[in-house]
Amino acid sequence: MEGLTPAEQRELDQRLQKRQVKEFMTVFGNLVDNCFNACVDDFTSKVLSGRETGCISRCVIKSMTTQARLGERFAELNAAMTAEMQQKMSR
Amino acid sequence: MFGFGRPQPTSAEKIAAIENELKVVAEMHSRMIKVCSAKCLDKTYREGELSKGEAVCLDRCAAKFFEAHQIISDQLQKEGAARGFGGGM
């Protein structure tokens, strides 16, 4: 693909920024759903118990660590896959 | 009519193409996280830190995910071609 003009690059950057915001909201939403489902199941009270808040906290930390780690793996694997595809195409 | 002098993609098309490619990659990233978290993490969240076992599981899951993706992609293309559908992944 040919290079982009500065104006086109700006437009692209704007769109990507918008996308990132949207994606963050999705990640946030998924996190809430996931950690709530995993940690909260005691409805004898309308207040979260200590156990539940602790669980939620650990869930968040673990989820973020997991995302970071998988992010690294993904980048490595994606780079390898792309390199392999380019090799195949240039044969 | 022969195809030399193809019309250049417009600005909008170029940008859309890049954005789309990134979208595909981002979606794969997101799915991998979902799937590998489900398969590897302790769902009781007794600990906030990733155990060694979970970490190794995640690494291997990511690698297998990519491999499976590739196999399925290739096979779909072959089957699709055999059955008369076009298009790659």
Side-chain angles (χ1 to χ4, degrees):
Chain A
M1 178 151 304
E2 288 169 17
L4 301 174
T5 68
E8 289 170 340
Q9 187 64 52
R10 269 197 306 275
E11 167 77 20
L12 181 66
D13 289 343
Q14 249 183 1
R15 296 233 198 143
L16 293 184
Q17 239 184 9
K18 229 166 139 187
R19 224 170 237 291
Q20 272 199 321
V21 171
K22 196 172 168 200
E23 212 176 289
F24 175 77
M25 295 311 295
T26 307
V27 167
F28 177 57
N30 287 337
L31 196 57
V32 173
D33 290 353
N34 186 47
C35 294
F36 185 84
N37 277 331
C39 293
V40 180
D41 46 26
D42 174 15
F43 297 103
T44 62
S45 169
K46 70 178 182 190
V47 175
L48 290 171
S49 71
R51 182 185 59 88
E52 288 172 328
T53 48
C55 176
I56 288 171
S57 209
R58 292 187 296 273
C59 175
V60 171
I61 294 173
K62 192 170 253 187
S63 300
M64 306 209 63
T65 313
T66 299
Q67 283 203 18
R69 192 180 185 100
L70 287 177
E72 287 174 26
R73 293 296 88 76
F74 185 86
E76 293 161 8
L77 291 160
N78 196 38
M81 182 176 77
T82 310
E84 214 182 293
M85 282 200 307
Q86 287 182 336
Q87 254 205 347
K88 273 192 202 162
M89 290 201 294
S90 65
R91 269 188 207 146
Chain B
M1 173 148 43
F2 299 98
F4 51 78
R6 245 173 168 206
Q8 288 297 314
T10 64
S11 262
E13 285 170 351
K14 274 199 275 183
I15 291 171
I18 296 177
E19 205 187 349
N20 214 50
E21 197 178 317
L22 290 168
K23 184 181 173 193
V24 167
V25 171
E27 276 175 2
M28 186 181 174
H29 180 198
S30 172
R31 271 183 290 120
M32 186 191 75
I33 291 177
K34 218 174 193 171
V35 161
C36 290
S37 295
K39 285 194 178 283
C40 292
L41 301 186
D42 166 25
K43 285 171 194 50
T44 65
Y45 295 104
R46 276 166 298 192
E47 303 251 326
E49 285 184 33
L50 277 177
S51 74
K52 188 89 201 290
E54 286 172 325
V56 168
C57 177
L58 288 173
D59 292 348
R60 292 174 181 166
C61 178
K64 284 198 165 186
F65 186 86
F66 262 77
E67 212 186 319
H69 179 267
Q70 203 53 55
I71 290 173
I72 292 167
S73 176
D74 292 345
Q75 194 166 345
L76 258 179
Q77 263 189 327
K78 264 195 232 146
E79 300 286 342
R83 289 152 209 261
F85 307 130
M89 276 283 142

XYZ file of all heavy atoms in Angstrom, chain B residues 8-89:
620
model
N -6.597 4.726 -9.003
C -5.968 4.758 -7.697
C -7.039 4.707 -6.616
O -8.105 5.302 -6.778
C -5.147 6.052 -7.540
C -3.879 6.065 -8.376
C -2.926 4.961 -7.943
O -2.693 4.757 -6.769
N -2.398 4.230 -8.900
N -6.772 4.002 -5.520
C -7.750 4.041 -4.424
C -7.872 5.466 -3.884
O -6.890 6.182 -3.801
C -7.162 3.103 -3.371
C -5.739 2.959 -3.724
C -5.619 3.152 -5.187
N -9.079 5.841 -3.541
C -9.280 7.168 -2.982
C -8.734 7.214 -1.569
O -8.438 6.182 -0.969
C -10.772 7.528 -2.938
O -11.405 6.611 -2.031
C -11.402 7.418 -4.306
N -8.613 8.443 -1.039
C -8.182 8.623 0.343
C -9.026 7.780 1.281
O -8.524 7.057 2.121
C -8.337 10.093 0.742
O -7.130 10.762 0.632
N -10.330 7.919 1.109
C -11.259 7.231 2.006
C -11.041 5.729 1.950
O -11.046 5.042 2.966
C -12.694 7.571 1.633
N -10.805 5.216 0.726
C -10.600 3.776 0.572
C -9.323 3.323 1.236
O -9.277 2.287 1.898
C -10.587 3.405 -0.912
C -11.963 3.421 -1.548
C -11.898 3.299 -3.066
O -10.789 3.383 -3.628
O -12.958 3.120 -3.669
N -8.261 4.109 1.075
C -6.978 3.740 1.672
C -7.097 3.669 3.188
O -6.650 2.731 3.838
C -5.899 4.775 1.295
C -5.225 4.489 -0.037
C -3.896 5.210 -0.154
C -4.063 6.625 -0.650
N -2.745 7.293 -0.835
N -7.710 4.729 3.741
C -7.853 4.796 5.196
C -8.732 3.662 5.701
O -8.430 3.022 6.703
C -8.443 6.163 5.610
C -7.421 7.270 5.339
C -8.838 6.166 7.073
C -7.957 8.662 5.512
N -9.831 3.437 4.990
C -10.752 2.373 5.398
C -10.061 1.018 5.367
O -10.266 0.183 6.245
C -11.980 2.368 4.498
N -9.217 0.804 4.357
C -8.526 -0.480 4.232
C -7.597 -0.717 5.413
O -7.563 -1.798 5.995
C -7.754 -0.541 2.924
N -6.832 0.315 5.777
C -5.919 0.183 6.920
C -6.700 -0.036 8.200
O -6.383 -0.912 9.004
C -5.031 1.440 7.057
C -4.125 1.580 5.850
C -4.200 1.357 8.332
C -3.264 2.827 5.861
N -7.752 0.784 8.373
C -8.558 0.671 9.583
C -9.158 -0.721 9.692
O -9.200 -1.318 10.765
C -9.671 1.719 9.545
C -10.157 2.108 10.925
C -11.372 3.016 10.889
O -11.709 3.520 9.796
O -11.986 3.209 11.937
N -9.597 -1.231 8.571
C -10.212 -2.545 8.564
C -9.228 -3.648 8.932
O -9.552 -4.560 9.694
C -10.782 -2.824 7.177
C -12.029 -3.646 7.249
O -12.927 -3.322 8.003
N -12.081 -4.717 6.503
N -8.016 -3.531 8.382
C -6.999 -4.531 8.681
C -6.694 -4.537 10.172
O -6.578 -5.584 10.803
C -5.743 -4.225 7.879
C -4.787 -5.400 7.794
C -3.582 -5.066 6.948
O -3.789 -4.455 5.885
O -2.461 -5.412 7.363
N -6.585 -3.343 10.738
C -6.311 -3.240 12.175
C -7.471 -3.805 12.976
O -7.282 -4.417 14.027
C -6.057 -1.783 12.558
C -4.734 -1.229 12.026
C -4.670 0.280 12.193
C -3.568 -1.872 12.761
N -8.674 -3.597 12.475
C -9.861 -4.106 13.165
C -9.820 -5.629 13.226
O -10.094 -6.223 14.269
C -11.107 -3.641 12.421
C -12.408 -4.018 13.096
C -13.592 -3.526 12.275
C -14.882 -4.074 12.872
N -16.027 -3.903 11.970
N -9.460 -6.247 12.104
C -9.381 -7.708 12.058
C -8.380 -8.225 13.074
O -8.637 -9.176 13.815
C -9.014 -8.175 10.632
C -8.618 -9.633 10.640
C -10.168 -7.940 9.687
N -7.222 -7.577 13.118
C -6.179 -7.986 14.054
C -6.639 -7.795 15.495
O -6.442 -8.660 16.349
C -4.885 -7.185 13.790
C -3.860 -7.442 14.877
C -4.301 -7.556 12.440
N -7.266 -6.645 15.760
C -7.729 -6.362 17.116
C -8.770 -7.382 17.573
O -8.781 -7.790 18.732
C -8.305 -4.952 17.187
N -9.632 -7.777 16.652
C -10.660 -8.754 17.013
C -10.054 -10.093 17.357
O -10.463 -10.757 18.303
C -11.659 -8.916 15.861
C -12.742 -7.863 15.894
C -13.678 -7.938 14.704
O -13.511 -8.829 13.855
O -14.585 -7.090 14.635
N -9.053 -10.486 16.585
C -8.380 -11.753 16.858
C -7.708 -11.690 18.228
O -7.764 -12.636 19.011
C -7.346 -12.013 15.761
C -6.707 -13.384 15.879
S -5.492 -13.611 14.575
C -4.811 -15.176 15.057
N -7.083 -10.577 18.514
C -6.435 -10.337 19.794
C -7.446 -10.512 20.923
O -7.208 -11.206 21.904
C -5.858 -8.913 19.765
C -5.151 -8.510 21.001
N -4.899 -7.202 21.310
C -4.636 -9.227 22.027
C -4.260 -7.143 22.464
N -4.090 -8.343 22.918
N -8.584 -9.866 20.757
C -9.619 -9.890 21.781
C -10.154 -11.299 22.006
O -10.349 -11.740 23.142
C -10.733 -8.937 21.350
O -11.822 -9.060 22.199
N -10.385 -12.011 20.920
C -10.905 -13.379 21.035
C -9.897 -14.284 21.714
O -10.255 -15.137 22.531
C -11.273 -13.938 19.666
C -12.712 -13.636 19.264
C -13.093 -14.257 17.949
N -12.422 -13.624 16.833
C -11.605 -14.243 15.980
N -11.371 -15.522 16.105
N -11.044 -13.583 15.005
N -8.626 -14.104 21.376
C -7.597 -14.931 21.980
C -7.565 -14.735 23.493
O -7.449 -15.699 24.256
C -6.231 -14.584 21.376
C -5.130 -15.504 21.856
S -3.500 -14.909 21.411
C -3.306 -13.591 22.575
N -7.671 -13.480 23.905
C -7.656 -13.211 25.343
C -8.841 -13.888 26.027
O -8.700 -14.534 27.070
C -7.683 -11.694 25.610
C -6.359 -11.070 25.186
C -7.931 -11.411 27.090
C -6.306 -9.562 25.331
N -10.012 -13.758 25.430
C -11.206 -14.352 26.012
C -11.049 -15.863 26.159
O -11.271 -16.430 27.223
C -12.380 -14.058 25.075
C -13.669 -13.750 25.773
C -14.724 -13.337 24.762
C -15.925 -12.730 25.460
N -16.851 -12.133 24.496
N -10.672 -16.475 25.057
C -10.586 -17.930 25.017
C -9.512 -18.463 25.962
O -9.738 -19.417 26.709
C -10.331 -18.382 23.564
C -9.781 -19.776 23.507
C -11.594 -18.285 22.757
N -8.333 -17.849 25.918
C -7.234 -18.361 26.737
C -7.438 -18.061 28.217
O -7.039 -18.848 29.075
C -5.898 -17.824 26.224
S -5.442 -18.526 24.619
N -8.081 -16.946 28.532
C -8.405 -16.673 29.930
C -9.341 -17.743 30.454
O -9.165 -18.259 31.561
C -9.074 -15.308 30.068
O -8.199 -14.280 29.723
N -10.350 -18.071 29.644
C -11.320 -19.076 30.068
C -10.649 -20.423 30.291
O -10.985 -21.150 31.229
C -12.424 -19.195 29.034
N -9.695 -20.761 29.446
C -9.076 -22.085 29.541
C -7.995 -22.177 30.605
O -7.692 -23.255 31.079
C -8.493 -22.480 28.178
C -9.557 -22.884 27.180
C -8.954 -23.589 25.972
C -10.036 -24.040 25.003
N -10.729 -25.250 25.471
N -7.397 -21.060 30.951
C -6.183 -21.141 31.776
C -6.292 -20.567 33.180
O -5.501 -20.915 34.049
C -5.015 -20.443 31.062
S -4.458 -21.300 29.582
N -7.238 -19.662 33.395
C -7.239 -18.978 34.685
C -8.131 -19.651 35.716
O -9.204 -20.165 35.381
C -7.683 -17.523 34.500
C -6.854 -16.667 33.560
C -7.333 -15.229 33.611
C -5.378 -16.732 33.919
N -7.697 -19.587 36.941
C -8.492 -20.079 38.064
C -9.674 -19.149 38.263
O -9.496 -17.970 38.565
C -7.600 -20.095 39.314
C -8.407 -20.252 40.590
O -9.530 -20.801 40.541
O -7.923 -19.822 41.653
N -10.865 -19.686 38.106
C -12.034 -18.801 38.135
C -12.483 -18.406 39.529
O -13.421 -17.636 39.679
C -13.194 -19.446 37.377
C -12.984 -19.379 35.872
C -14.003 -20.193 35.115
C -13.602 -20.394 33.665
N -12.222 -20.890 33.472
N -11.817 -18.931 40.530
C -12.209 -18.512 41.875
C -11.398 -17.295 42.320
O -11.667 -16.713 43.361
C -12.031 -19.647 42.904
O -10.645 -19.947 43.020
C -12.787 -20.887 42.464
N -10.398 -16.941 41.528
C -9.576 -15.762 41.817
C -9.107 -15.713 43.263
O -9.226 -14.702 43.955
C -10.339 -14.477 41.458
C -10.593 -14.388 39.972
C -11.841 -14.657 39.452
C -9.553 -14.058 39.091
C -12.061 -14.600 38.083
C -9.773 -14.002 37.726
C -11.030 -14.274 37.228
O -11.243 -14.221 35.884
N -8.549 -16.811 43.687
C -7.996 -16.843 45.044
C -6.750 -15.979 45.154
O -6.402 -15.498 46.212
C -7.654 -18.287 45.439
C -8.836 -19.057 45.968
C -8.543 -20.526 46.014
N -8.270 -21.072 44.667
C -8.215 -22.372 44.408
N -8.389 -23.253 45.377
N -7.968 -22.802 43.196
N -6.075 -15.817 44.027
C -4.868 -14.995 43.998
C -5.002 -13.916 42.939
O -5.631 -14.137 41.904
C -3.664 -15.863 43.631
C -3.431 -17.034 44.535
C -2.199 -16.805 45.388
O -1.258 -16.166 44.879
O -2.203 -17.230 46.546
N -4.388 -12.765 43.169
C -4.371 -11.713 42.165
C -3.258 -11.923 41.168
O -3.329 -11.487 40.027
N -2.226 -12.623 41.582
C -1.090 -12.824 40.688
C -1.284 -14.068 39.843
O -1.891 -15.045 40.269
C 0.192 -12.993 41.507
C 0.709 -11.694 42.081
C 2.037 -11.907 42.795
O 2.817 -12.777 42.345
O 2.271 -11.224 43.802
N -0.734 -14.012 38.649
C -0.719 -15.186 37.781
C 0.233 -16.219 38.357
O 1.372 -15.895 38.657
C -0.226 -14.824 36.390
C -1.191 -14.241 35.372
C -0.440 -13.903 34.104
C -2.302 -15.212 35.066
N -0.252 -17.444 38.529
C 0.662 -18.492 38.967
C 1.538 -18.888 37.779
O 1.227 -18.570 36.628
C -0.132 -19.717 39.446
O -0.681 -20.396 38.345
N 2.629 -19.582 38.086
C 3.535 -20.027 37.025
C 2.768 -20.903 36.036
O 2.902 -20.770 34.819
C 4.705 -20.811 37.642
C 5.794 -21.155 36.649
C 6.855 -20.050 36.561
C 7.625 -20.122 35.248
N 8.520 -21.284 35.168
N 1.948 -21.799 36.589
C 1.167 -22.708 35.746
C 0.242 -21.951 34.808
O 0.151 -22.255 33.620
N -0.458 -20.957 35.351
C -1.372 -20.170 34.527
C -0.607 -19.420 33.446
O -1.035 -19.364 32.290
C -2.132 -19.163 35.397
C -3.218 -19.785 36.261
C -3.807 -18.786 37.234
O -3.069 -17.915 37.728
O -5.022 -18.871 37.504
N 0.530 -18.862 33.799
C 1.319 -18.084 32.849
C 1.773 -18.955 31.680
O 1.643 -18.576 30.508
C 2.527 -17.457 33.542
N 2.284 -20.128 32.018
C 2.751 -21.044 30.966
C 1.576 -21.486 30.096
O 1.682 -21.549 28.865
C 3.462 -22.268 31.604
C 3.683 -23.354 30.575
C 4.784 -21.842 32.208
N 0.450 -21.763 30.765
C -0.749 -22.158 30.018
C -1.140 -21.065 29.019
O -1.441 -21.354 27.861
C -1.898 -22.427 30.990
S -3.460 -22.835 30.196
N -1.126 -19.819 29.460
C -1.492 -18.707 28.578
C -0.575 -18.638 27.360
O -1.040 -18.470 26.228
C -1.439 -17.380 29.334
C -2.531 -17.122 30.366
C -2.228 -15.847 31.145
C -3.890 -17.007 29.707
N 0.740 -18.775 27.607
C 1.701 -18.723 26.497
C 1.408 -19.810 25.469
O 1.369 -19.562 24.259
C 3.132 -18.905 27.014
C 3.599 -17.733 27.861
O 2.923 -16.686 27.860
O 4.640 -17.866 28.531
N 1.197 -21.002 25.967
C 0.958 -22.132 25.056
C -0.378 -21.986 24.349
O -0.513 -22.321 23.173
C 1.005 -23.442 25.841
C 2.393 -23.757 26.338
C 2.412 -24.977 27.233
N 3.756 -25.254 27.717
C 4.025 -26.087 28.723
N 3.025 -26.714 29.340
N 5.258 -26.287 29.098
N -1.356 -21.490 25.103
C -2.681 -21.289 24.513
C -2.587 -20.307 23.351
O -3.176 -20.527 22.289
C -3.651 -20.763 25.570
S -5.295 -20.433 24.942
N -1.854 -19.219 23.539
C -1.708 -18.215 22.488
C -1.106 -18.844 21.234
O -1.604 -18.646 20.112
C -0.836 -17.059 22.970
N -0.044 -19.611 21.415
C 0.614 -20.246 20.277
C -0.338 -21.201 19.562
O -0.455 -21.194 18.334
C 1.867 -20.997 20.738
N -1.064 -21.995 20.321
C -1.995 -22.956 19.718
C -3.139 -22.233 19.034
O -3.642 -22.679 18.002
C -2.527 -23.917 20.785
C -1.523 -24.966 21.180
C -2.197 -26.140 21.874
C -1.233 -27.320 21.932
N -1.877 -28.519 22.475
N -3.559 -21.132 19.618
C -4.641 -20.358 19.030
C -4.259 -19.900 17.628
O -5.037 -20.019 16.671
C -4.970 -19.154 19.921
C -6.173 -18.376 19.475
C -7.440 -18.752 19.870
C -6.034 -17.265 18.657
C -8.550 -18.023 19.462
C -7.136 -16.539 18.246
C -8.402 -16.921 18.650
N -3.055 -19.374 17.501
C -2.593 -18.915 16.201
C -2.512 -20.063 15.200
O -2.895 -19.923 14.040
C -1.216 -18.242 16.331
C -1.298 -16.757 16.408
C -1.678 -16.144 17.597
C -1.016 -15.974 15.308
C -1.777 -14.763 17.666
C -1.099 -14.586 15.387
C -1.484 -13.981 16.564
N -2.003 -21.183 15.670
C -1.858 -22.328 14.782
C -3.219 -22.804 14.309
O -3.434 -23.045 13.120
C -1.121 -23.457 15.508
C -0.269 -24.303 14.590
C 0.341 -25.493 15.309
O 0.778 -25.317 16.465
O 0.358 -26.591 14.710
N -4.157 -22.910 15.248
C -5.511 -23.351 14.900
C -6.135 -22.378 13.911
O -6.781 -22.786 12.936
C -6.362 -23.451 16.161
N -5.925 -21.083 14.159
C -6.448 -20.053 13.272
C -5.948 -20.275 11.849
O -6.708 -20.198 10.881
C -6.021 -18.685 13.789
C -6.478 -17.543 12.944
N -5.709 -16.996 11.946
C -7.628 -16.836 12.938
C -6.362 -16.003 11.370
N -7.531 -15.885 11.955
N -4.652 -20.561 11.737
C -4.050 -20.757 10.429
C -4.620 -21.986 9.723
O -4.981 -21.934 8.550
C -2.528 -20.906 10.584
C -1.739 -20.566 9.341
C -2.085 -19.198 8.805
O -2.011 -18.196 9.508
N -2.507 -19.121 7.552
N -4.711 -23.079 10.469
C -5.229 -24.325 9.900
C -6.650 -24.133 9.402
O -7.003 -24.535 8.299
C -5.199 -25.453 10.956
C -3.757 -25.856 11.256
C -5.998 -26.660 10.474
C -3.626 -26.843 12.394
N -7.465 -23.508 10.236
C -8.867 -23.311 9.872
C -8.979 -22.400 8.666
O -9.766 -22.646 7.745
C -9.653 -22.751 11.073
C -9.736 -23.812 12.175
C -11.047 -22.316 10.644
C -10.214 -23.297 13.504
N -8.169 -21.344 8.664
C -8.178 -20.418 7.551
C -7.817 -21.140 6.250
O -8.511 -21.011 5.230
C -7.192 -19.289 7.831
O -7.107 -18.438 6.732
N -6.732 -21.911 6.278
C -6.308 -22.636 5.088
C -7.368 -23.624 4.631
O -7.684 -23.712 3.439
C -5.002 -23.411 5.367
C -3.829 -22.486 5.581
O -3.945 -21.294 5.240
O -2.793 -22.945 6.110
N -7.899 -24.360 5.597
C -8.874 -25.379 5.235
C -10.139 -24.766 4.651
O -10.693 -25.244 3.669
C -9.216 -26.225 6.454
C -9.937 -27.487 6.074
C -9.977 -28.485 7.213
O -9.247 -28.356 8.198
N -10.840 -29.475 7.088
N -10.599 -23.693 5.243
C -11.792 -23.006 4.745
C -11.597 -22.555 3.312
O -12.488 -22.670 2.481
C -12.107 -21.787 5.606
C -13.230 -21.947 6.620
C -13.410 -20.667 7.406
C -14.539 -22.295 5.927
N -10.386 -22.042 3.044
C -10.095 -21.609 1.690
C -10.189 -22.766 0.716
O -10.774 -22.661 -0.354
C -8.682 -21.012 1.621
C -8.681 -19.510 1.718
C -7.329 -18.922 1.434
O -6.318 -19.515 1.746
N -7.315 -17.764 0.833
N -9.570 -23.892 1.118
C -9.585 -25.073 0.251
C -11.005 -25.561 0.040
O -11.441 -25.792 -1.080
C -8.745 -26.199 0.878
C -7.343 -26.259 0.349
C -6.677 -27.571 0.690
C -5.332 -27.304 1.362
N -5.001 -28.305 2.381
N -11.733 -25.738 1.141
C -13.106 -26.227 1.047
C -13.949 -25.251 0.249
O -14.756 -25.632 -0.572
C -13.722 -26.380 2.449
C -12.996 -27.333 3.355
C -13.229 -28.781 2.988
O -14.203 -29.065 2.265
O -12.430 -29.623 3.394
N -13.744 -23.962 0.523
C -14.500 -22.939 -0.181
C -14.253 -22.999 -1.665
O -15.188 -22.938 -2.460
N -12.995 -23.157 -2.030
C -12.657 -23.239 -3.447
C -13.281 -24.477 -4.070
O -13.841 -24.428 -5.160
C -11.141 -23.261 -3.628
N -13.200 -25.592 -3.366
C -13.764 -26.837 -3.884
C -15.266 -26.708 -4.080
O -15.829 -27.242 -5.015
C -13.447 -27.989 -2.944
N -15.902 -25.975 -3.159
C -17.356 -25.848 -3.284
C -17.773 -24.643 -4.091
O -18.947 -24.347 -4.197
C -17.989 -25.744 -1.881
C -17.936 -27.037 -1.131
C -17.900 -26.765 0.378
N -17.197 -27.818 1.082
C -17.830 -28.818 1.710
N -19.130 -28.885 1.719
N -17.126 -29.747 2.327
N -16.802 -23.933 -4.623
C -17.176 -22.846 -5.518
C -17.309 -21.480 -4.877
O -17.787 -20.544 -5.493
N -16.902 -21.334 -3.627
C -16.882 -19.981 -3.058
C -15.500 -19.424 -3.226
O -14.531 -20.149 -3.195
C -17.225 -19.985 -1.557
C -18.498 -20.681 -1.241
C -18.540 -21.636 -0.241
C -19.657 -20.397 -1.930
C -19.712 -22.287 0.063
C -20.835 -21.054 -1.628
C -20.860 -22.005 -0.627
N -15.422 -18.127 -3.358
C -14.093 -17.543 -3.480
C -13.617 -16.955 -2.188
O -14.150 -17.231 -1.133
N -12.640 -16.146 -2.284
C -12.258 -15.292 -1.158
C -11.282 -15.907 -0.175
O -11.380 -17.066 0.150
N -10.373 -15.126 0.253
C -9.433 -15.574 1.276
C -9.798 -15.025 2.625
O -10.862 -14.437 2.785
N -8.937 -15.208 3.604
C -9.215 -14.729 4.971
C -8.425 -13.452 5.210
O -7.292 -13.528 5.552
C -8.804 -15.774 6.005
C -9.818 -16.820 6.263
S -11.169 -16.298 7.285
C -12.484 -17.132 6.518
